Structures are given as C-alpha cells and as structure tokens.
Amino acid sequence: QSVLTQPPSASGTPGQRVIISCSGSSSNIGSNTVNWYQEVPGTAPKLLIYSDNRRPSGVPDRFSGSKSGTSASLAISGLQSEDETDYYCAAWDDSLNGHYVFGTGTKVTVL
Amino acid sequence: QLHLQESGPRLVKSSETLSLTCSVSGGSITNSNYYWGWIRQPPGGGLQWIGFISYTGINYYNPSLMGRGTIIIDSSKRQFSLKLSSVTAADTALYFCVRYSGEAYYFDSWGQGTLVAVSS
C-alpha cells in the first residue's frame, strides 16, 4: 500500500502561519486530487480542504491548500489555540487496482 | 442530514472474524454516486482506509489487508457491514463507517466511531 508522508509535528505561536507538507508519488498526488482532514483524537475527522485547494462551507479561510507535482501543502494562517490537533492529507492512488491512502499525520502545537 | 451509526461487538478474539454494521439514516443508500465504507485508527496511530463499495457492487479494498476484508450492502435494511477475518492485535482500532462521494472524491459523512479490541 502506498502512503503519503507528512512531518510528525509542526508548531507556531498564535497568529503565525504554519505549513504542513504531504509528499506522495505519481500514482496518487501526481494524478489525483488531495484532501485534508482535521481530527481531534477519538472523534470523526472533519474535511478541511478538498480538490487540492477548495474549502467546504463553514471552514475558515485561514485554512488553504495547494499542490505541485507529487506534493501538497496545507497552510494555517493566523494560528489559533483551537487549531492544536492532528491533520491528515489523503488521496486516491491508482496503483494496485486502486486504493485510498492517508498521510502519516501531523500534530500541530500552538506554543 | 445523513447520519451513520456503527454497531457490533467491542471485543473479538484473535484469529476470529470482526463484524461491524453501519446503519444509514437521513439519506439514500442506493444513490450510485456514493461509496459506503470503513476507515480505522489504531490507538495512538493514524487513519487507515479499509475499503468501500458502491450500491452497484463496485468495491475497492486496502491491499495491505491481504483479502481479509469484505464489505456488503443490505439496502432493504439501509445498512452496510464490514467483516474482517483472522484478526490479530494489530486490528485493534477505532472503526468509522463513512460515505465517499464518487463525484467530489472525498469522505463527506462519518459515523462517530466504535472501538474494537482484539484479545488473545
């Protein structure tokens, strides 16, 4: 199974901008759209970004997504204390008859 | 609004089959634009996609499960279920049932999750 690689942790002070990277391959990020989920451990994840850079209604515009080649990024601007939780990238992978892959997850800490 | 609710045994013995059911309310399970599936999260670990199936029977599974997983839909009961065979301690996890949009390509609805432990 393919996997998307994220840094285990990221941090910033309130108001700062934090960027989380997501590295994949040509069979996943390189050829399919990327989604980002925010998860409070033990609860159902919440969709933050879909189709690389689109926000569902209700998601603050502090959250933005981008993609280039086989990598994607999630940026959190104006970091707030409630942003301290886990973040996962995800995408469809065309290899092995097709399967869905999640990133390894990044814990964001607000200092 | 769509609501998904997991149910099933919270404790399964090693080498046996884990069985979970997801009940769907507030929306149709027969809409061919969606897939119905399962995602799990081991304690302290990350999210792992298990698989999903469409109402028309198109299915996909995580290759790392080595064929141990099966998802079926029972439209008459508005339910879908997961069977995971030959479980080990590594299958201990929080299991979420989910709906995947085949048009928008993301999981747009999640159950609250149910914790299943595998005992030896």
Side-chain angles (χ1 to χ4, degrees):
Chain A
Q1 177 198 4
S2 302
V3 68
L4 307 179
T5 303
Q6 300 177 231
S9 62
S11 62
T13 57
Q16 277 191 329
R17 185 169 186 248
V18 170
I19 297 178
I20 302 169
S21 61
C22 175
S23 177
S25 67
S26 58
S27 63
N28 43 63
I29 293 178
S31 49
N32 296 295
T33 60
V34 177
N35 303 320
W36 289 90
Y37 296 89
Q38 178 190 59
E39 188 203 23
V40 174
T43 68
K46 170 188 174 183
L47 181 69
L48 274 185
I49 298 289
Y50 68 99
S51 295
D52 300 335
N53 55 19
R54 303 186 69 177
R55 278 187 310 275
S57 60
V59 173
D61 59 7
R62 304 187 292 105
F63 295 93
S64 62
S66 63
K67 187 176 82 172
S68 178
T70 59
S71 295
S73 295
L74 173 71
I76 309 174
S77 302
L79 194 65
Q80 299 181 5
S81 58
E82 61 257 38
D83 300 332
E84 182 168 299
T85 191
D86 300 328
Y87 296 83
Y88 294 88
C89 58
W92 184 254
D93 191 296
D94 294 328
S95 68
L96 302 173
N97 296 318
H99 59 286
Y100 198 83
V101 291
F102 283 98
T104 48
T106 298
K107 165 71 175 179
V108 169
T109 300
V110 181
L111 301 172
Chain B
Q1 184 172 347
L2 192 76
H3 181 72
L4 306 179
Q5 180 66 56
E6 304 91 348
S7 60
R10 301 298 195 266
L11 187 63
V12 182
K13 292 183 178 179
S14 183
S15 80
E16 296 188 345
T17 296
L18 178 158
S19 296
L20 292 174
T21 296
C22 184
S23 298
V24 180
S25 59
S28 173
I29 201 171
T30 60
N31 189 323
S32 59
N33 292 325
Y34 295 101
Y35 289 77
W36 306 90
W38 298 86
I39 290 168
R40 69 181 182 181
Q41 184 172 35
L47 298 171
Q48 183 184 38
W49 172 77
I50 295 172
F52 50 48
I53 187 170
S54 71
Y55 172 68
T56 56
I58 300 171
N59 57 71
Y60 298 92
Y61 295 99
N62 190 324
S64 69
L65 293 178
M66 306 296 285
R68 296 190 298 122
T70 303
I71 300 172
I72 60 173
I73 291 178
D74 186 337
S75 58
S76 65
K77 295 182 179 180
R78 303 188 72 180
Q79 294 177 337
F80 60 99
S81 61
L82 168 69
K83 291 190 183 301
L84 186 63
S85 62
S86 305
V87 297
T88 68
D91 295 308
T92 293
L94 181 63
Y95 285 77
F96 296 99
C97 61
V98 293
R99 186 179 78 170
Y100 180 79
S101 169
E103 293 182 319
Y105 307 109
Y106 58 77
F107 297 102
D108 65 359
S109 190
W110 298 67
Q112 65 182 19
T114 186
L115 182 61
V116 180
V118 176
S119 67
S120 55

